[in-house]
Short mmCIF file of all heavy atoms in Angstrom, two decimals:
data_model
loop_
_atom_site.label_atom_id
_atom_site.label_comp_id
_atom_site.label_asym_id
_atom_site.label_seq_id
_atom_site.Cartn_x
_atom_site.Cartn_y
_atom_site.Cartn_z
N GLY A 415 138.67 121.32 124.21
CA GLY A 415 137.76 121.57 123.11
C GLY A 415 136.52 120.70 123.22
O GLY A 415 136.32 119.98 124.19
N ALA A 416 135.66 120.78 122.21
CA ALA A 416 134.45 119.95 122.15
C ALA A 416 134.09 119.73 120.69
O ALA A 416 134.42 120.55 119.82
CB ALA A 416 133.30 120.60 122.90
N ASP A 417 133.40 118.63 120.44
CA ASP A 417 132.95 118.32 119.08
C ASP A 417 131.58 118.92 118.79
O ASP A 417 131.28 119.23 117.63
CB ASP A 417 132.91 116.81 118.89
CG ASP A 417 134.28 116.18 119.13
OD1 ASP A 417 135.24 116.60 118.48
OD2 ASP A 417 134.38 115.27 119.97
N GLU A 418 130.78 119.09 119.83
CA GLU A 418 129.47 119.74 119.71
C GLU A 418 129.18 120.51 121.00
O GLU A 418 129.58 120.08 122.08
CB GLU A 418 128.34 118.74 119.49
CG GLU A 418 128.37 118.02 118.17
CD GLU A 418 127.16 117.10 117.97
OE1 GLU A 418 126.30 117.00 118.88
OE2 GLU A 418 127.07 116.47 116.90
N VAL A 419 128.47 121.61 120.87
CA VAL A 419 127.98 122.36 122.02
C VAL A 419 126.52 122.71 121.74
O VAL A 419 126.22 123.34 120.72
CB VAL A 419 128.77 123.66 122.25
CG1 VAL A 419 128.23 124.41 123.48
CG2 VAL A 419 130.25 123.38 122.43
N ASP A 420 125.62 122.30 122.63
CA ASP A 420 124.20 122.62 122.41
C ASP A 420 123.84 123.93 123.13
O ASP A 420 124.68 124.51 123.84
CB ASP A 420 123.30 121.44 122.80
CG ASP A 420 123.07 121.31 124.31
OD1 ASP A 420 123.55 122.15 125.11
OD2 ASP A 420 122.38 120.34 124.71
N PRO A 421 122.62 124.44 122.98
CA PRO A 421 122.27 125.73 123.59
C PRO A 421 122.34 125.74 125.12
O PRO A 421 122.37 126.81 125.72
CB PRO A 421 120.83 125.96 123.11
CG PRO A 421 120.73 125.20 121.82
CD PRO A 421 121.56 123.97 122.04
N HIS A 422 122.35 124.57 125.75
CA HIS A 422 122.42 124.49 127.22
C HIS A 422 123.85 124.20 127.69
O HIS A 422 124.05 123.88 128.86
CB HIS A 422 121.47 123.41 127.72
CG HIS A 422 120.05 123.60 127.26
ND1 HIS A 422 119.24 124.62 127.72
CD2 HIS A 422 119.32 122.91 126.33
CE1 HIS A 422 118.06 124.54 127.11
NE2 HIS A 422 118.09 123.52 126.27
N LEU A 423 124.81 124.29 126.79
CA LEU A 423 126.23 124.05 127.05
C LEU A 423 126.54 122.60 127.38
O LEU A 423 127.57 122.29 128.00
CB LEU A 423 126.76 124.97 128.17
CG LEU A 423 126.53 126.47 127.99
CD1 LEU A 423 127.33 127.26 129.01
CD2 LEU A 423 126.85 126.94 126.58
N ASN A 424 125.66 121.68 126.98
CA ASN A 424 126.00 120.27 127.00
C ASN A 424 126.91 119.99 125.81
O ASN A 424 126.83 120.67 124.78
CB ASN A 424 124.75 119.40 126.93
CG ASN A 424 123.85 119.61 128.12
OD1 ASN A 424 124.30 119.59 129.27
ND2 ASN A 424 122.56 119.84 127.89
N LEU A 425 127.76 118.99 125.94
CA LEU A 425 128.79 118.76 124.94
C LEU A 425 128.78 117.34 124.40
O LEU A 425 128.31 116.41 125.07
CB LEU A 425 130.18 118.99 125.56
CG LEU A 425 130.39 120.19 126.48
CD1 LEU A 425 131.76 120.08 127.15
CD2 LEU A 425 130.26 121.49 125.70
N VAL A 426 129.32 117.20 123.20
CA VAL A 426 129.81 115.91 122.73
C VAL A 426 131.32 116.04 122.62
O VAL A 426 131.84 116.99 122.05
CB VAL A 426 129.22 115.52 121.35
CG1 VAL A 426 129.97 114.31 120.78
CG2 VAL A 426 127.75 115.20 121.46
N LYS A 427 132.02 115.08 123.22
CA LYS A 427 133.47 115.03 123.17
C LYS A 427 133.88 113.59 122.89
O LYS A 427 133.10 112.68 123.06
CB LYS A 427 134.08 115.52 124.49
CG LYS A 427 133.93 117.02 124.69
CD LYS A 427 134.49 117.50 126.04
CE LYS A 427 135.88 117.04 126.32
NZ LYS A 427 136.85 117.49 125.25
N GLY A 428 135.13 113.44 122.46
CA GLY A 428 135.66 112.10 122.31
C GLY A 428 135.84 111.62 120.89
O GLY A 428 136.18 110.46 120.67
N ARG A 429 135.63 112.50 119.91
CA ARG A 429 135.89 112.05 118.53
C ARG A 429 137.38 111.83 118.29
O ARG A 429 137.76 111.19 117.33
CB ARG A 429 135.29 113.05 117.54
CG ARG A 429 133.77 112.98 117.53
CD ARG A 429 133.12 113.96 116.58
NE ARG A 429 131.67 113.98 116.81
CZ ARG A 429 130.87 114.99 116.48
NH1 ARG A 429 131.37 116.07 115.92
NH2 ARG A 429 129.57 114.92 116.73
N GLY A 430 138.20 112.35 119.21
CA GLY A 430 139.63 112.05 119.17
C GLY A 430 139.99 110.81 119.97
O GLY A 430 141.14 110.36 119.96
N GLY A 431 139.01 110.25 120.68
CA GLY A 431 139.21 108.99 121.39
C GLY A 431 139.62 109.10 122.83
O GLY A 431 139.92 108.09 123.47
N SER A 432 139.62 110.32 123.41
CA SER A 432 140.12 110.50 124.79
C SER A 432 139.00 110.77 125.80
O SER A 432 139.24 111.34 126.86
CB SER A 432 141.13 111.65 124.83
OG SER A 432 142.19 111.41 123.94
#
Side-chain angles (χ1 to χ4, degrees):
D417 301 305
E418 292 184 359
V419 181
D420 79 3
H422 305 290
L423 306 191
N424 297 312
L425 317 170
V426 169
K427 289 177 51 58
R429 289 179 190 158
S432 303

